Amino acid sequence: MNDPREKALERARAWLAGRGDALAGVLADARLGARPASDAEAVLAERQDAQGAVAWGDGQDGLAGSLRALHWLRSLGRGDGRVAERAAAFLAGRQAADGGWSAADAADRDLATARCLAALACTSRVRASALSRAADFLAARWSVDALAAGGEAAVCAWFPALCHAHLEIADEALQWCGRELERGFRTGRFAPLAVARVFADCDAHALPGARLGAEEALAALLDAQDDDGSFGGDAEATLEAIRAIHFLIAATPRRAAAC
């Protein structure tokens, strides 16, 4: 194995294996082709309750766990399976009457709604009316000032929602988010992993408004890997880095249209 990118993936996978986290190990193995994606789907099914919520096992609530499960199932090509269908139904069932999702305060609620909309817009199991109401909720709250104040978290949450859902503000908002993402990346305000995940979450090899390609994002993420193979000594970050690196490796040989 001479490709340093592949070596980085194996080092991250080995570090996760040493942590003894069964779920992370299965997901990493499935993403890297060491075991079938159906194994990962089965493990997530074991963690899914009667309502469809997925318990991730790291203290996250059902909403956060189900969001992560949907991201992973989609990345493994199992986004239309029964586990994803039930997780999507759980998320849709938590939608409020105004189209948003509950959170501690208004800013957090906007982020929660953006994340839920992005995940649900990539499934075929949710009513169009639920997506439309969520899109209207976000469109009414779009504000450059608010997103600028929200920094990395806001830009990285809104970007996939704007890419995957049909928001009236999408053209303007995507251009601004792209420029802000690039500024944050180049000034060091946005972490390489956060930026790399935007590419993976948007399923895009290039992003509107940003003169930042997959190859540059991948190089920065690889540089951020610790000597022990982890990313910050954190299992969640290391698992997400594996997902992002694997996506970006596939993206770098060719240039494709954004979103």
Side-chain angles (χ1 to χ4, degrees):
M1 183 188 298
N2 295 320
D3 189 338
R5 304 174 304 177
E6 298 291 347
K7 288 182 178 179
L9 285 172
E10 284 303 321
R11 289 172 57 228
R13 177 185 172 202
W15 184 86
L16 276 178
R19 304 287 291 183
D21 186 330
L23 176 58
V26 171
L27 290 173
D29 285 353
R31 192 69 176 99
L32 300 181
R35 62 194 303 166
S38 57
D39 285 2
E41 186 176 31
V43 171
L44 289 171
E46 293 173 356
R47 294 165 176 261
Q48 193 166 42
D49 66 19
Q51 294 181 309
V54 177
W56 204 263
D58 55 5
Q60 294 184 343
D61 61 18
L63 186 71
S66 299
L67 278 171
R68 290 187 70 187
L70 282 173
H71 279 304
W72 272 92
L73 289 166
R74 177 170 169 258
S75 76
L76 295 172
R78 311 293 290 191
D80 288 325
R82 178 60 176 161
V83 178
E85 179 183 6
R86 296 185 63 233
F90 168 77
L91 290 182
R94 296 282 297 272
Q95 188 178 27
D98 64 1
W101 273 263
S102 296
D105 58 41
D108 288 344
R109 191 161 191 248
D110 291 351
L111 297 187
T113 301
R115 291 172 180 137
C116 288
L117 176 57
L120 294 178
C122 293
T123 74
S124 59
R125 309 293 187 177
V126 179
R127 291 181 179 178
S129 59
L131 301 179
S132 178
R133 288 190 294 118
D136 289 344
F137 177 94
L138 287 179
R141 285 155 179 78
W142 162 252
S143 162
V144 167
D145 291 341
L147 258 72
E152 177 187 285
V155 173
C156 294
W158 276 74
F159 224 132
L162 292 165
C163 276
H164 294 306
H166 300 291
L167 277 71
E168 293 181 1
I169 60 167
D171 289 343
E172 170 196 353
L174 279 169
Q175 291 296 319
W176 183 87
C177 284
R179 293 190 296 271
E180 188 66 11
L181 187 80
E182 183 180 3
R183 279 194 294 268
F185 174 80
R186 301 204 183 284
T187 60
R189 292 186 295 114
F190 291 8
L193 176 55
V195 173
R197 286 180 65 180
V198 172
F199 283 86
D201 291 344
C202 291
D203 196 22
H205 301 163
L207 298 170
R211 293 175 297 178
L212 169 66
E215 187 172 1
E216 188 175 2
L218 175 58
L221 181 54
L222 294 177
D223 285 345
Q225 187 173 29
D226 295 335
D227 291 341
D228 63 3
S230 74
F231 286 79
D234 182 83
E236 178 180 346
T238 303
L239 181 61
E240 286 302 313
I242 288 174
R243 183 170 70 91
I245 291 169
H246 193 273
F247 175 85
L248 290 171
I249 287 175
T252 50
R254 62 188 184 278
R255 301 287 175 154
C259 299

